Amino acid sequence: MNTPIASTNSEGRVIPDRFKFIGIKSIYILLCIYFVANQFNHTTTFMEIGFYGSLLIFIPLLVTRRVRIDMSFPLSYPMLSFLGIAILGAFFALNKENTIHDIYAHFIRYMFLWMFLSISLTQKDKIERLLALITVSTTIFCLYSIINQYYVHH
């Protein structure tokens, strides 16, 4: 999914692609917001800002060919086949609106999250920072839940 953030001109000089660099950094920050908000109750607004903000940045990067969708990972074709089967199955569903919503909310949305992660987490330190952020937010959520369960309500 990754193309170089910099290119070379006819003289061989490196020209950084600032739009791609800022876009990928923004997607990373919005994904951090999404994954931190995912731990807590009543934070749907922050999750939506994280997801749709990343999508809003990803689409221009994709249209201008600054990023590309790489189909070389092993599960890409089985996942697309599953999506095709789910769409075909929607024609035979009793509740078509609910089926279409489920395909979007539980499959297509997570496919986009996978694409966002694969273009923004290209270095080991970014992965470690995201994992640390998820660990800290989960710890805070667990402590809040324990305190709320045993000390606030009793």
Side-chain angles (χ1 to χ4, degrees):
M1 277 197 145
N2 294 327
T3 56
I5 291 182
S7 59
T8 56
N9 62 6
S10 60
E11 300 169 358
R13 296 181 64 192
V14 176
I15 302 170
D17 189 350
R18 295 195 190 282
F19 180 66
K20 180 179 178 181
F21 178 76
I22 292 170
I24 290 174
K25 290 285 185 187
S26 301
I27 288 173
Y28 177 73
I29 291 168
L30 289 168
L31 283 177
C32 288
I33 292 170
Y34 177 86
F35 285 116
V36 167
N38 193 26
Q39 309 295 323
F40 300 99
N41 296 331
H42 310 295
T43 57
T44 307
T45 304
F46 297 111
M47 289 175 57
E48 298 296 318
I49 289 170
F51 177 77
Y52 288 111
S54 297
L55 187 63
L56 190 66
I57 295 168
F58 176 73
I59 289 174
L61 288 173
L62 189 65
V63 170
T64 59
R65 298 181 187 262
R66 287 184 165 93
V67 296
R68 60 183 177 84
I69 299 173
D70 188 10
M71 297 300 289
S72 65
F73 69 95
L75 292 177
S76 60
Y77 291 114
M79 290 174 87
L80 287 176
S81 300
F82 183 74
L83 177 63
I85 291 169
I87 291 172
L88 283 175
F91 292 115
F92 302 102
L94 295 175
N95 189 349
K96 290 184 184 357
E97 293 175 5
N98 191 30
T99 303
I100 292 169
H101 173 266
D102 287 345
I103 291 171
Y104 167 72
H106 301 294
F107 188 75
I108 295 175
R109 192 172 168 131
Y110 291 110
M111 293 273 300
F112 275 113
L113 281 173
W114 170 255
M115 284 188 269
F116 299 156
L117 285 172
S118 65
I119 66 165
S120 64
L121 297 178
T122 56
Q123 299 166 346
K124 186 178 178 181
D125 63 328
K126 286 185 179 180
I127 295 171
E128 289 172 351
R129 277 186 274 164
L130 181 64
L131 289 175
L133 190 65
I134 291 171
T135 304
V136 167
S137 65
T138 304
T139 303
I140 292 170
F141 172 72
C142 291
L143 290 173
Y144 169 77
S145 297
I146 290 170
I147 291 169
N148 194 28
Q149 176 69 27
Y150 291 111
Y151 297 109
V152 174
H153 290 286
H154 293 280

